[in-house]
């Protein structure tokens, strides 16, 4: 138990140091920046990036060294495909020229550099607007790499479990014994009550959704590489997952489902067009609710933890650190619960919506 507590405290302290360094990572920091910018730090963490920041340190010469994992940059512009590593940007300090295109990294987004090799800004309604063109960006970003890692982990886990069932049917052991209760929970408590006889058809899809969200949530809690990516806190990811559910609902919906959606039986004719509009809006509301619920809950957890750690650097006092670490420890434990809870809610609602679409008319 003492070893476990030491490991947890070390992880939290490492996360604190990582948080401090993240604000100094050199991506867009200028000499005009003063003090500790909490909002910039938080936004930097929850947003995607073209490299994976590990830590910063000062070498013997007094120079700041940024340690990152460079990721592949894949850009397409004017019929030209350019592939290179993010390290060529030197954390936003250099432009990269490939053929007729010159690229610049600014606030973790890639633009085509202007005539002076920089960014052209204009002001509209009191807001700064970037006028530079943007290329088509197909890069392997931090979130993409994290999803690849999680996908590989899921494949290895389930291939191992499947082989174990062939060798020891009915006698779970090791990883098989750990995963079996989770698989049966999804099947018996989520899928079967909502889908009944259709369970076998949709079980693989819903199991994939559940474990993909769960594993990404858990990886996001880990403060050191390859953890810490805010995958399910990225609205593009949650929207894609919700769209899979949307297509599963509407491509498998039976005639009774569409009849109740487009021309509700048992109500006056003049009311039917109004209900049809409401039901069609509901087709959009369902995936939207799935998208926002997962995105908002996971992002909120990351923001709260980072805010608590930032208190140490805001007050610039070690006296604040014990209280911050205690609250961060509590929030991390709560995030473990949220990781499972959000995977459960997304899967349960997906099963409920699909079940309503494929339910046989009684």
């Amino acid at each position: 138990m003492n070893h476990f507590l030491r490991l947890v405290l070390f992880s939290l302290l490492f996360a604190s140091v990582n948080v401090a360094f993240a604000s100094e990572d050199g991506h867009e920091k200028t000499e005009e920046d003063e003090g500790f910018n909490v909002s910039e730090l938080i936004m930097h963490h929850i947003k995607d990036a073209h490299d994976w920041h590990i830590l910063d340190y000062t070498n013997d010469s007094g120079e700041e060294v940024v340690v990152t994992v460079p990721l592949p940059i894949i850009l397409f512009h004017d019929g030209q495909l350019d592939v290179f590593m993010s390290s060529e940007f030197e954390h936003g300090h250099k432009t990269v020229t490939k053929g007729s295109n010159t690229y610049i990294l600014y606030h973790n987004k890639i633009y085509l550099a202007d005539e002076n090799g920089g960014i052209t800004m204009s002001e509209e309604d009191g807001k700064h607007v970037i006028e530079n063109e943007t290329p088509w960006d197909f890069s392997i970003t931090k979130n993409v790499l994290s999803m690849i890692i999680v996908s590989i982990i899921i494949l290895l886990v389930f291939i191992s479990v499947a082989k174990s069932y062939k060798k020891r049917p009915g006698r779970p052991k090791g990883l098989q014994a750990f995963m079996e209760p989770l698989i049966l929970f999804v099947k018996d408590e989520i899928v079967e009550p909502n889908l009944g006889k259709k369970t076998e058809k949709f079980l693989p899809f819903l199991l994939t959704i559940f474990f993909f969200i769960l594993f990404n949530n858990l990886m996001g809690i880990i403060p050191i590489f390859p953890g810490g990516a805010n995958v399910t806190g990225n609205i593009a990811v949650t929207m894609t997952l919700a769209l899979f559910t949307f297509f599963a609902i509407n491509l498998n919906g039976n005639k009774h489902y569409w009849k109740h959606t487009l021309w509700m039986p048992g109500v006056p004719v003049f009311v039917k067009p109004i209900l049809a509009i409401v039901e069609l809006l509901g087709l959009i509301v369902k995936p939207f609710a799935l998208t926002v619920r997962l995105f908002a809950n996971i992002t909120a957890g990351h923001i709260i933890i980072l805010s608590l750690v930032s208190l140490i650097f805001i007050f610039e006092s070690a006296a604040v650190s014990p209280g911050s670490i205690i609250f961060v420890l509590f929030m991390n434990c709560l995030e473990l619960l949220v990781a499972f809870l959000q995977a459960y809610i997304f899967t349960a609602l997906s099963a409920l919506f699909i079940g309503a679409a494929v339910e046989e008319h009684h």
Side-chain angles (χ1 to χ4, degrees):
M1 186 66 180
N2 290 333
H3 291 294
F4 174 75
L5 288 175
R6 281 199 293 268
L7 180 62
V8 170
L9 289 174
F10 172 77
S11 298
L12 290 171
L13 289 172
F14 190 94
S16 302
V17 174
N18 232 7
V19 164
F21 285 145
S23 66
E24 304 286 342
D25 65 359
H27 283 281
E28 292 88 29
K29 189 160 180 73
T30 66
E31 293 181 0
E32 296 177 358
D33 292 335
E34 295 181 0
F36 182 73
N37 193 326
V38 179
S39 60
E40 182 182 342
L41 161 68
I42 292 174
M43 292 305 297
H44 172 80
H45 173 78
I46 65 176
K47 288 168 64 177
D48 203 359
H50 283 88
D51 56 12
W52 204 311
H53 182 263
I54 306 297
L55 57 88
D56 295 5
Y57 68 92
T58 303
N59 60 19
D60 296 335
S61 304
E63 298 175 344
E64 185 180 11
V65 179
V66 182
V67 180
T68 62
V69 176
L71 300 175
I73 303 293
I74 306 169
L75 304 172
F76 184 81
H77 183 72
D78 281 347
Q80 180 178 316
L81 181 67
D82 297 315
V83 181
F84 54 96
M85 297 301 290
S86 61
S87 54
E88 291 193 37
F89 282 118
E90 293 188 5
H91 314 294
H93 296 303
K94 286 186 66 177
T95 58
V96 176
T97 301
K98 298 292 180 181
S100 60
N101 298 325
T102 299
Y103 303 106
I104 185 169
L105 181 67
Y106 185 76
H107 286 282
N108 278 326
K109 288 191 68 176
I110 297 174
Y111 300 89
L112 288 160
D114 59 20
E115 297 176 352
N116 300 318
I119 295 291
T120 301
M121 305 283 288
S122 63
E123 191 168 327
E124 293 181 10
D125 299 328
K127 295 181 179 179
H128 293 292
V129 178
I130 298 173
E131 296 184 352
N132 296 57
E133 288 186 74
T134 54
W136 287 93
D137 193 346
F138 302 97
S139 304
I140 305 298
T141 61
K142 179 180 176 180
N143 283 348
V144 173
L145 178 60
S146 182
M147 285 190 284
I148 292 171
I149 293 171
V150 166
S151 299
I152 292 170
I153 292 172
I154 291 174
L155 282 172
L156 292 175
V157 167
F158 279 93
I159 289 172
S160 174
V161 170
K163 288 181 178 178
S164 298
Y165 272 110
K166 289 182 179 179
K167 292 179 182 178
R168 299 184 301 272
R171 292 177 288 120
K173 184 180 179 182
L175 182 61
Q176 179 188 2
F178 177 78
M179 294 300 295
E180 185 175 284
L182 290 173
I183 296 170
L184 290 177
F185 171 76
V186 175
K187 178 179 181 292
D188 297 338
E189 302 298 328
I190 300 177
V191 183
E192 200 162 0
N194 291 295
L195 289 159
K197 295 178 181 179
K198 302 283 187 178
T199 295
E200 296 300 323
K201 180 178 180 179
F202 294 99
L203 184 60
F205 167 69
L206 293 169
L207 277 173
T208 303
I209 287 284
F210 178 83
F211 284 104
F212 182 80
I213 294 173
L214 176 62
F215 279 38
N216 273 298
N217 288 349
L218 294 175
M219 287 287 286
I221 298 172
I222 301 172
I224 57 177
F225 180 82
N230 187 32
V231 174
T232 45
N234 185 313
I235 199 165
V237 174
T238 59
M239 182 180 66
T240 303
L241 293 173
L243 284 174
F244 280 122
T245 297
F246 172 80
F247 289 121
I249 295 167
N250 295 295
L251 293 178
N252 292 282
N254 55 32
K255 62 179 182 180
H256 302 291
Y257 166 75
W258 286 111
K259 186 176 181 180
H260 280 75
T261 300
L262 301 175
W263 203 247
M264 184 75 69
V267 297
V269 175
F270 72 91
V271 177
K272 289 184 178 183
I274 300 173
L275 289 177
I277 294 171
V278 173
E279 290 295 330
L280 288 172
L281 288 174
L283 298 182
I284 301 171
V285 169
K286 288 173 184 176
F288 178 77
L290 290 173
T291 298
V292 174
R293 180 182 284 107
L294 180 58
F295 158 73
N297 280 284
I298 299 302
T299 301
H302 283 261
I303 290 173
I304 291 171
I305 290 174
L306 286 166
S307 299
L308 290 170
V309 174
S310 297
L311 291 176
I312 301 171
F313 308 101
I314 292 171
F315 290 102
E316 298 181 352
S317 172
V320 182
S321 58
S324 290
I325 289 175
I326 290 170
F327 280 111
V328 169
L329 179 60
F330 170 75
M331 280 303 303
N332 270 314
C333 294
L334 190 61
E335 281 293 287
L336 282 173
L337 173 62
V338 171
F340 283 89
L341 185 62
Q342 291 305 315
Y344 166 78
I345 291 173
F346 194 101
T347 309
L349 288 176
S350 296
L352 179 65
F353 296 152
I354 295 170
V358 302
E359 183 182 15
E360 294 297 331
H361 181 66
H362 297 292

